[in-house]
Amino acid sequence: MRLVKSNDFYSIKVRGYVTSLHLDVLDLLYQPIIGFSATSIYRYLYATRDFRSGDPLSFALIHNHLGFTYDQISMAINRLEGLGLVRSFLVSRPEFNEFVLELFAPKDPASFSKDAIFMHLLQDILGPRHTQELIALFMLDAETINQEEVTADFASIYGPQVQELNGDDLYTGQTLENVVGSVKIPFDEVLFFNLLTKIRKILPTALSKNEVKILKQIAGLYDLTEEALANKVGDFYNAKEPFGKRVDISAMRSHLQELIKYPTISKTLRRRKTQVISGDSANINMINNMETKGPIDFLMMLNEGTKIAPADQKILEDLAVSYNLTPPVINALIFYTLKYNNNQLIRALIEKNASFLSRSKVSNALDALDILERPPLPKKGRKPKKEETLEKEELTPEAKNDLEDPIWDELKDL
């Protein structure tokens, strides 16, 4: 945009659907990048879009209302243009210029968190941890898992209304759902489906929602790329099996458990991570390892390359599948458990803390460690106890067995 003068005018066109959510994203995620003046001018332009029935308005209004100089107004609009929030068009007049300002909506939280350029700009100003804390404000509640779903399907409610449309293939029995974007998704599901179709000729509709959910958790556990997962699904896919059971999940897990014994082969399947914390201290290096390594690799690193016991590997799978924890959070929980329990993974303790982390909705290692290290608050009306006993009925059979182990008595005496 050119420099504006006191006798220049502007008109506004809104070219995107701007909601209260988009304005929250503007205030929390865009403002550190574009600055306060640009944020204020965008909000002013959007709020006054219908002012005076769309007639051209003088830039003096912005100058008087917000107190910005004309140079500041020009620079602020330039910043908005740079991030795609405004497009400017010049209409030259004999005595003044008129600018047509087209307003576009800010990115939604999911799109912002997936855009490497926007995330880099924000992290460069606020740092990785503060950036993740802001992104976490927009996180959705965790999906309900391991519970019986009693949702009515489309056909049972609206089936009679669309029966006559079957000939036009408008409705063929598919499940209808709203598309909800969640933030900070490390695994690109769209890319996975594209590769699955392209490489292995398997359509996305061939897999059930539950299969896809478990496959994504396996990808996080073993740090697989989208292409690697697509190839593995193709290896263990059988189109003759009933819908929802076409991928032999158990056989795939066994295969991956064997594959990690051969680093040269498994390395080609691993996802490359770049989001780390700056610094060279031992603690920062450990946090970065939690963020960049899959749980299998991380535990092997803690074991100094020693192979993982089957029982420990089962614990890692349960944390991913049953508790829906992200790989960095699993790593933090494993590190914390080993650190304070004589280098032993005690299932009872892990499951108790896993449930706590799942309720806390943490997604990165640093936040997980902060929560685990935080001392518990005493309940009102009584003094905090030295030791707390776990309710066995809340634990899995494996965890109950751990509670009967003699080492548990030793831990309670510490």
Side-chain angles (χ1 to χ4, degrees), residues 1-244:
M1 182 179 185
R2 299 181 182 178
L3 292 176
V4 299
K5 301 176 182 178
S6 58
N7 62 336
D8 287 339
F9 288 77
Y10 68 91
S11 57
I12 304 169
K13 292 183 178 181
V14 178
R15 295 291 309 280
Y17 294 106
V18 181
T19 67
S20 59
L21 173 64
H22 292 104
L23 294 177
D24 287 342
V25 173
L26 178 75
D27 292 339
L28 294 176
L29 303 182
Y30 278 79
Q31 181 167 305
I33 303 172
I34 62 178
F36 174 76
S37 58
T39 304
S40 300
I41 287 178
Y42 182 96
R43 276 185 160 274
Y44 180 86
L45 294 174
Y46 182 73
T48 59
R49 59 193 182 278
D50 296 324
F51 188 55
R52 292 183 182 172
S53 302
D55 292 333
L57 303 172
S58 172
F59 277 100
L61 287 173
I62 300 178
H63 168 70
N64 295 330
H65 192 108
L66 300 178
F68 297 143
T69 67
Y70 293 100
D71 287 344
Q72 289 174 325
I73 294 172
S74 300
M75 180 59 68
I77 295 178
N78 282 338
R79 287 181 169 272
L80 294 170
E81 292 168 343
L83 289 189
L85 295 172
V86 169
R87 293 184 67 187
S88 302
F89 300 86
L90 177 62
V91 181
S92 297
R93 309 287 187 185
E95 299 179 358
F96 63 90
N97 290 323
E98 178 187 347
F99 293 89
V100 179
L101 304 178
E102 295 187 350
L103 301 186
F104 291 81
K107 289 178 177 289
D108 61 68
S111 299
F112 190 102
S113 68
K114 295 175 187 176
D115 192 309
I117 295 177
F118 279 66
M119 290 294 288
H120 173 77
L121 292 173
L122 189 57
Q123 288 179 7
D124 189 53
I125 296 170
L126 300 180
R129 183 175 184 183
H130 192 179
T131 297
Q132 293 305 322
E133 290 172 344
L134 288 178
I135 291 290
L137 294 175
F138 298 96
M139 291 187 70
L140 302 174
D141 291 338
E143 180 185 3
T144 303
I145 59 174
N146 299 328
Q147 301 293 333
E148 180 184 2
E149 184 170 358
V150 293
T151 307
D153 61 79
F154 176 86
S156 65
I157 306 300
Y158 301 101
Q161 295 178 238
V162 296
Q163 283 181 349
E164 66 276 11
L165 300 176
N166 283 341
D168 297 329
D169 292 328
L170 179 62
Y171 177 70
T172 58
Q174 69 271 26
T175 300
L176 303 186
E177 60 180 0
N178 294 318
V179 178
V180 179
S182 57
V183 302
K184 198 183 176 186
I185 301 177
F187 187 85
D188 191 337
E189 185 174 329
V190 174
L191 176 59
F192 163 68
F193 280 133
N194 288 338
L195 292 170
L196 187 64
T197 303
K198 180 180 179 181
I199 299 173
R200 304 311 294 260
K201 312 303 180 188
I202 300 174
L203 295 176
T205 52
L207 304 180
S208 69
K209 290 172 61 178
N210 188 58
E211 282 178 306
V212 173
K213 179 179 68 178
I214 294 176
L215 289 172
K216 289 168 61 179
Q217 291 166 339
I218 290 175
L221 180 63
Y222 292 93
D223 212 21
L224 300 178
T225 65
E226 290 82 356
E227 182 177 358
L229 184 64
N231 278 312
K232 294 306 171 188
V233 168
D235 291 342
F236 296 93
Y237 175 83
N238 187 348
K240 296 181 181 179
E241 293 294 329
F243 180 74

Side-chain angles (χ1 to χ4, degrees), residues 282-284 286-287 290 298-299 302-303 330-346 349-350 353 366 368-370 372-374 411 414:
N283 288 337
I284 288 179
M286 183 59 70
I287 293 291
M290 295 179 194
F298 182 75
L299 185 53
L302 296 181
N303 288 350
I330 294 174
N331 291 340
L333 178 54
I334 294 300
F335 175 79
Y336 175 85
T337 305
L338 293 174
K339 179 180 178 182
Y340 291 103
N341 294 283
N342 198 26
N343 278 328
Q344 296 189 57
L345 294 181
I346 300 177
L349 291 174
I350 290 177
N353 285 325
L366 195 55
L369 287 176
D370 283 346
L372 292 170
E373 297 277 3
R374 191 180 303 156
L411 289 172
L414 294 178

